[in-house]
Amino acid sequence: MSIVTSTPAALSSRVAGCPKSMAYGPCGGVNADGTCEVHPTPCVFLARELPVRWTGAAARATDPEAGSGDPSTASTLAGRELVAIAARRPLVFTGFPVRALRADAVGATAEALIGSVDAVLSGDAGRSRVQFPPSYRAVLIGATGLRLWMGFNTRDRNRTALERELLSLRALGVAGVHCVTGDHTQTGDRPDARPVFDLESTTTLPRAAALGLLTSFAESPAAPPIAERGARVAEKQRAGGRMCLTQYAGDAEEVAAFVALCRAAGSDVPVLPGVPLVVDREGAELLASFHAAKLPSGFIDRLFAARDVRTEGIRLAVEYGHDLIATGDVGGVVIAGGARPGDEAAYAADLATVARELGGGS
């Protein structure tokens, strides 16, 4: 087996002062006033020429068992199935709400989602920095029969550990990997932990693509510098990214404008915007804590003016999802949000309701 082992320009050009040691910033956590999500100081990348150019080789598979790195030659059956679905309609992903470190809770969440979604995205818990590693989560979720799009961050492990995880995820047959730099340890419940960030999203993408894994990456269309976010998508595509999953990015027209920025910059990857599903005040508070998230106009006011918040939250998510798909500019949607502790399985059922209404699982 082979894997990309060097991206020399990136490793030598990390920007001094970035808490995540990034070379290809800025991350998606820049606040509206231009400050860093970790420290109340200006993001160091905003004083530099942007976007940072990808200077590595074009990402393609080097393992003879892996395929070419093109989506049509994904190395796993689940990945090929998603490619076939994407060829005929927009993809419908949801989050996978489950308490961190609760293997016994996976089954109930999966049961609620099976048959309604095309794949589930299992990423970082909203605030918990200690959770099962990606490969073990892939074992647990994969055993349920759901297609898994595995979140993969670089916060806690060095590059050799990250590469072992990627090899494990391919062996386990995940549909794809969502390569993100990740939240800093100082923004979660373990500020005592030393952050690693040996790699970042952009330098993880070619490693995953080299194994024939389908890849996605994140972007925050509403985070400064807004005008350069589309060009940053193009650079991540050059590094090996095959889909862009966005932070909540405002009204459908604003999302369409972001996709136009991506196209003008030379990117043709499918963009899957986030669809917020909020069914209680705890979920609203969690979304409010997300850096650079922009909800649709009037979303929270309409939600809490309703007699039944859960029913209205589902209705708003379905309405917004339909609006996004109706633009004709998106490659699908990712329905997610936050569940009240102990309410994860019920919230998964709500995710399934929205997913079915938007065509998921069909």
Side-chain angles (χ1 to χ4, degrees):
M1 287 180 286
S2 176
I3 196 165
V4 175
T5 57
S6 64
T7 49
L11 301 183
S12 63
S13 60
R14 292 178 174 177
V15 175
C18 176
K20 298 180 182 179
S21 303
M22 294 180 70
Y24 292 98
C27 73
V30 183
N31 295 311
D33 62 358
T35 56
C36 172
E37 66 177 343
V38 180
H39 303 305
T41 56
C43 171
V44 294
F45 282 95
L46 300 189
R48 302 173 67 87
E49 181 180 353
L50 296 174
V52 181
R53 302 294 177 184
W54 170 250
T55 55
R60 53 176 55 88
T62 57
D63 186 333
E65 299 178 0
S68 69
D70 183 274
S72 63
T73 56
S75 64
T76 68
L77 174 61
R80 292 192 292 274
E81 289 173 345
L82 281 185
V83 169
I85 294 171
R88 58 185 173 84
R89 64 162 173 79
L91 293 167
V92 179
F93 290 3
T94 70
F96 191 83
V98 66
R99 296 285 291 276
L101 307 178
R102 285 288 304 274
D104 61 334
V106 167
T109 292
E111 184 177 355
L113 291 167
I114 288 173
S116 300
V117 303
D118 301 325
V120 294
L121 172 65
S122 177
D124 263 352
R127 297 187 179 97
S128 176
R129 296 290 172 260
V130 180
Q131 55 190 314
F132 292 137
S135 54
Y136 184 50
R137 277 186 281 158
V139 170
L140 294 172
I141 299 173
T144 70
L146 285 165
R147 297 188 195 94
L148 174 60
W149 201 270
M150 191 68 236
F152 191 80
N153 76 73
T154 69
R155 176 183 58 245
D156 304 317
R157 297 174 293 277
N158 67 18
R159 70 194 60 194
T160 56
L162 291 169
E163 289 166 359
R164 285 196 298 270
E165 282 289 316
L166 287 174
L167 287 164
S168 298
L169 291 173
R170 191 185 73 171
L172 290 166
V174 300
V177 290
H178 185 49
C179 298
V180 299
T181 303
D183 295 321
H184 200 279
T185 54
Q186 290 186 28
T187 64
D189 62 355
R190 289 301 302 273
D192 59 312
R194 178 185 297 176
V196 181
F197 295 115
D198 192 20
L199 297 174
E200 60 186 277
S201 171
T202 305
T203 50
T204 306
L205 287 166
R207 287 165 164 79
L211 295 176
L213 285 163
L214 291 184
T215 57
S216 66
F217 55 89
E219 194 51 79
S220 294
I226 293 172
E228 298 296 339
R229 290 289 172 178
R232 192 161 184 264
V233 168
E235 297 302 330
K236 287 191 175 184
Q237 178 177 350
R238 295 184 185 103
R242 297 293 176 259
M243 287 197 295
C244 173
L245 312 186
T246 78
Q247 179 58 278
Y248 308 120
D251 295 326
E253 295 79 7
E254 294 175 281
V255 173
F258 169 70
V259 176
L261 274 180
C262 298
R263 303 298 178 247
S267 172
D268 60 2
V269 296
V271 174
L272 279 66
V275 172
L277 175 61
V278 179
V279 298
D280 52 40
R281 289 193 178 276
E282 289 88 344
E285 290 169 359
L286 178 63
L287 261 63
S289 72
F290 293 168
H291 289 271
K294 184 177 182 181
L295 297 176
S297 299
F299 183 87
I300 294 297
D301 290 341
R302 293 167 66 188
L303 184 70
F304 290 116
R307 184 185 301 271
D308 184 334
V309 173
R310 184 178 293 269
T311 298
E312 180 66 2
I314 292 171
R315 191 191 70 77
L316 287 173
V318 171
E319 177 183 271
Y320 181 55
H322 278 310
D323 288 347
L324 289 169
I325 292 170
T327 67
D329 295 315
V330 303
V333 293
V334 182
I335 312 158
R340 178 189 294 121
D343 201 33
E344 290 86 4
Y347 183 74
D350 296 335
L351 288 170
T353 297
V354 178
R356 285 193 300 271
E357 289 291 327
L358 298 181
S362 59

